[in-house]
Amino acid sequence: MVTEIVSFEIDSSVSDEKFIKIVDIVEKDFHMKQPGYIDSELVKDRRNSWVMIMHWKSIQSVKDASKLLMKNKITEDFRQAIIPSSVKMNYLEQKKGWKV
């Protein structure tokens, strides 16, 4: 499993509530339909930075979905809401997991 961690800031004209609705559409209508998608989470810190944490079956799944994300009409509002220069991406390969 691969964990994709993407941090970014959003345009100040976009409210938190509006952005959450935008991400909800992206997750339900785009990410959840991509091969290899497992799950995702959207979090925000106190400094107004957002982070998406996503799990994928493979790095190839992440790469394929990322390419499509940049072209798909469904993701247009999402791409316009984020500040491109603030985006930082990290990919981590799971070595071990624990569950209750």
Side-chain angles (χ1 to χ4, degrees):
M1 181 170 64
V2 173
T3 300
E4 175 186 22
I5 301 174
V6 183
S7 62
F8 52 87
E9 294 176 11
I10 63 172
D11 189 277
S12 60
S13 67
V14 180
S15 70
D16 287 3
E17 294 78 17
K18 181 171 176 66
F19 186 64
I20 290 167
K21 287 178 184 176
I22 290 170
V23 173
D24 190 55
I25 291 168
V26 170
E27 294 311 288
K28 290 178 180 174
D29 296 341
F30 179 76
H31 280 130
M32 288 181 178
K33 296 181 179 181
Q34 301 306 306
Y37 171 86
I38 298 171
D39 64 15
S40 56
E41 179 179 358
L42 177 66
V43 296
K44 181 182 174 193
D45 72 13
R46 292 184 190 126
R47 295 170 295 167
N48 215 26
S49 292
W50 293 82
V51 177
M52 288 197 71
I53 303 166
M54 304 181 73
H55 294 109
W56 298 88
K57 290 184 180 175
S58 70
I59 190 67
Q60 192 60 50
S61 298
V62 176
K63 288 180 180 180
D64 292 345
S66 293
K67 285 179 191 173
L68 290 174
L69 178 91
M70 299 313 291
K71 302 177 196 175
N72 197 297
K73 184 155 179 62
I74 293 169
T75 64
E76 190 172 334
D77 288 343
F78 176 76
R79 293 190 317 264
Q80 290 179 358
I82 63 173
I83 299 170
S85 62
S86 71
V87 177
K88 293 182 180 92
M89 302 175 84
N90 200 359
Y91 304 101
L92 308 160
E93 182 182 353
Q94 185 183 58
K95 298 298 184 182
K96 177 88 175 128
W98 294 264
K99 291 185 181 184
V100 175

